[in-house]
């Protein structure tokens, strides 16, 4: 093909496309009829151009999975988190280690007991780590010589029942921690050691995800979300979702998974509290807008939201990772995880595999961890943990050019 011939063919295609539209319109006028559907299709074809032109959808290659460490310094890895250019590991003996593409594991702190949760703030500077004994450590990763802030996480459970947090979030200043131990407590790391227990409702309990977002603190539950003022810790809004499912706090929106669909929900366009909820007999405040939805599978099983960078969203379904573009509602690519969707078990029905994820604050790295309990042991015991199946991977998050 001669240089410039491809551009000439595209130009000729556009000219012929426009002429076809004009011809159809002329015929319609002459016949006294209107053919909007044909005209619309021809116009769309003329404007979209040939494959590879500016109007064509971008192609996204499936990211490659990179297996992560199972042990660090001879200890089993119990938790992992993605930071900006680094991966942080927590271990069975309480060690917290940071690794990068250019350096091996470096221990940055030690907790009393097994590390159960790691979390970065929204900018990737502050790292929070918590142990099975509810000891908290906060590390300033921008200044390695800075002292580690230590705190004790409390629980509202009966005395003697020490429940470590299952959700953890840290604000961008590194001065406040949100930890869920049945209820959500906000801890001022430089002030009163007692937590401020957030107000909630019975139907909005057991947060799936929570985060400090600008001037707000947001907790997303199975069927609703609560939004508090991050300064006063007063609840400002409450949102009820279209159905029951899994939720993840994103960019001014919530990524939500049902049994077949993934949705993006706008939690900002809602009725405010307390007026909307205080009037007797009035319906709950509901979402003002569903930004986008996508059918992920016709097989009804829970869809787990994974990540949202503002342009590409990711969900997990039956051990398959699906990336989709809300703007066009199209699936970009899928990855089958090398992990069983259903765990081996001596009981019926066999339990589904459990997956946890960590998305780096710069939205470049995604970490996924798969877990299956032993077939006939309690996974909460030391022996059960030894016989459980854990696998962890890291991948570069796909992005779309702006």
């Amino acid at each position: 093909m001669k240089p410039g011939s491809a551009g000439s063919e595209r130009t000729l295609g556009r000219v012929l496309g426009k002429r076809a539209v004009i011809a159809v319109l002329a015929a319609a006028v002459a016949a006294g009829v209107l053919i909007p559907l044909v005209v619309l299709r021809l116009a769309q074809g003329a404007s979209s151009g040939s494959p590879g032109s500016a109007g064509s959808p971008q192609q996204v290659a499936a990211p490659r999975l990179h297996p992560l460490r199972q042990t660090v310094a001879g200890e089993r890895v119990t938790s992992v988190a993605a930071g900006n250019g680094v991966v942080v590991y927590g271990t069975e003996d309480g060690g917290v280690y940071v690794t990068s593409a250019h350096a091996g594991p470096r221990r940055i702190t030690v907790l009393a007991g097994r590390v159960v949760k790691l979390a970065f703030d929204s900018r990737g500077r502050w790292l929070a780590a918590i142990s099975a004994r509810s000891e908290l450590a906060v590390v300033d990763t921008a200044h390695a010589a800075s002292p580690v802030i230590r705190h004790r996480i409390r629980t509202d459970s009966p005395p003697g029942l020490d429940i470590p947090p299952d959700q953890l979030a840290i604000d961008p200043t590194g001065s406040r921690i949100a930890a869920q131990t049945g209820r959500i407590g906000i801890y001022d790391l430089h002030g009163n050691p007692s937590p401020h227990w957030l107000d909630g409702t019975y139907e909005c309990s057991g947060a799936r995800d929570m985060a400090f977002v600008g001037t707000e603190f947001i907790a997303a539950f199975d069927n609703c979300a609560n939004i508090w003022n991050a300064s006063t810790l007063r609840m400002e809004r409450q949102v009820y979702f279209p159905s029951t499912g899994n939720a993840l706090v994103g960019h001014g929106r919530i990524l939500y998974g049902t049994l077949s669909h993934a949705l993006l929900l706008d939690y900002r366009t809602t009725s405010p509290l307390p007026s909307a909820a205080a009037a007797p007999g009035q319906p709950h405040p509901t979402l003002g807008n569903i930004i986008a939805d996508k059918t992920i599978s016709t097989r009804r099983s829970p869809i787990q939201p994974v990540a949202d960078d503002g342009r590409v969203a990711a969900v997990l379904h039956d051990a398959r990772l699906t990336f989709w573009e809300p703007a066009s509602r199209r699936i970009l690519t899928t990855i089958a995880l090398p992990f069983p969707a259903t765990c081996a078990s001596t009981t019926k029905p066999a339990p589904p595999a459990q997956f946890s994820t960590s998305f780096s604050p710069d939205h470049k790295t995604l970490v996924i961890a798969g877990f299956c309990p032993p077939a006939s042991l309690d996974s909460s015991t030391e022996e059960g943990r030894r016989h459980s199946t854990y696998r962890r991977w890291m991948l570069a998050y796909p992005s779309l050019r702006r």
Side-chain angles (χ1 to χ4, degrees):
M1 183 179 293
K2 296 181 179 180
S5 62
S8 300
E9 289 180 2
R10 285 194 292 269
T11 302
L12 179 60
R14 286 195 293 271
V15 171
L16 291 177
K18 292 177 182 178
R19 289 177 178 174
V21 172
I22 294 172
V24 170
L25 286 171
V29 171
V33 296
L34 186 61
I35 318 175
L37 181 60
V38 175
V39 172
L40 177 62
R41 294 300 184 191
L42 286 171
Q44 288 176 341
S47 63
S48 63
S50 60
S53 68
S56 300
Q58 296 184 38
Q59 298 299 314
V60 175
R64 181 183 174 186
L65 292 170
H66 299 275
L68 293 178
R69 295 171 178 267
Q70 295 289 88
T71 62
V72 176
E75 292 288 332
R76 288 198 308 270
V77 171
T78 57
S79 186
V80 65
N84 294 340
V86 299
V87 174
V88 176
Y89 295 89
T91 61
E92 186 75 32
D93 67 344
V96 179
Y97 299 82
V98 62
T99 67
S100 69
H102 310 290
R106 177 176 60 87
R107 194 174 72 179
I108 54 178
T109 191
V110 179
L111 297 173
R114 170 173 49 94
V115 179
V116 295
K117 199 75 176 177
L118 297 165
F120 277 97
D121 77 283
S122 59
R123 297 175 183 173
R125 173 178 176 177
W126 298 95
L127 170 69
I130 198 161
S131 75
R133 299 180 187 176
S134 295
E135 183 186 6
L136 170 75
V138 175
V139 180
D140 183 356
T141 61
H143 300 89
S146 298
V148 175
I149 303 171
R150 297 191 180 275
H151 206 84
R152 179 76 178 175
I153 296 297
R154 301 187 181 183
T155 178
D156 59 340
S157 303
L161 185 61
D162 198 12
I163 302 176
D166 59 356
Q167 292 293 340
L168 190 64
I170 181 169
D171 78 349
T173 68
S175 62
R176 288 182 302 169
I177 290 286
Q180 176 176 260
T181 56
R183 294 170 64 192
I184 299 174
I186 304 293
Y187 296 82
D188 182 352
L189 301 182
H190 304 293
N192 189 342
S194 298
H196 178 100
W197 298 110
L198 295 180
D199 295 330
T201 57
Y202 174 78
E203 60 269 30
C204 284
S205 59
R208 296 280 187 168
D209 188 32
M210 55 192 196
F212 290 91
V213 181
T215 60
E216 298 173 325
F217 174 73
I218 303 165
F221 305 89
D222 289 344
N223 61 348
C224 50
N226 292 342
I227 298 96
W228 291 268
N229 182 297
S231 298
T232 64
L233 300 181
R234 291 176 59 90
M235 190 189 297
E236 294 181 334
R237 293 190 304 283
Q238 191 172 54
V239 180
Y240 281 78
F241 302 149
S243 61
T244 299
N246 300 313
L248 183 79
V249 180
H251 290 252
R253 56 198 194 178
I254 287 176
L255 179 59
Y256 194 71
T258 66
L259 291 178
S260 59
H261 284 70
L263 301 93
L264 276 175
L265 309 176
D266 182 358
Y267 63 77
R268 297 191 183 279
T269 55
T270 62
S271 300
L273 285 183
S275 58
Q282 293 299 312
H284 291 303
T286 57
L287 292 164
N289 183 32
I290 295 179
I291 301 171
D293 68 277
K294 178 66 180 176
T295 300
I296 300 299
S297 174
T298 56
R299 182 180 180 273
R300 294 177 63 82
S301 62
I303 292 173
Q304 178 180 340
V306 169
D308 172 24
D309 72 350
R311 305 196 74 194
V312 176
V315 295
L316 263 170
H317 180 262
D318 289 343
R320 292 184 66 85
L321 188 61
T322 298
F323 297 92
W324 62 291
E325 183 187 21
S328 64
R329 290 175 170 80
R330 64 189 178 95
I331 291 178
L332 302 174
T333 189
T334 61
I335 301 174
L337 300 179
F339 202 82
T342 303
C343 302
S345 177
T346 57
T347 62
K348 302 295 183 182
Q354 300 175 36
F355 294 95
S356 59
T357 61
S358 176
F359 195 27
S360 65
D362 61 7
H363 303 152
K364 294 182 178 179
T365 305
L366 178 65
V367 165
I368 305 171
F371 166 74
C372 269
S376 58
L377 293 173
D378 182 357
S379 62
S380 65
T381 65
E382 173 62 25
E383 184 181 8
R385 289 197 298 273
R386 283 200 307 269
H387 290 85
S388 296
T389 301
Y390 299 91
R391 294 291 184 274
R392 300 173 181 89
W393 309 270
M394 177 182 68
L395 59 89
Y397 199 77
S399 62
L400 295 178
R401 296 188 300 275
R402 294 186 181 276

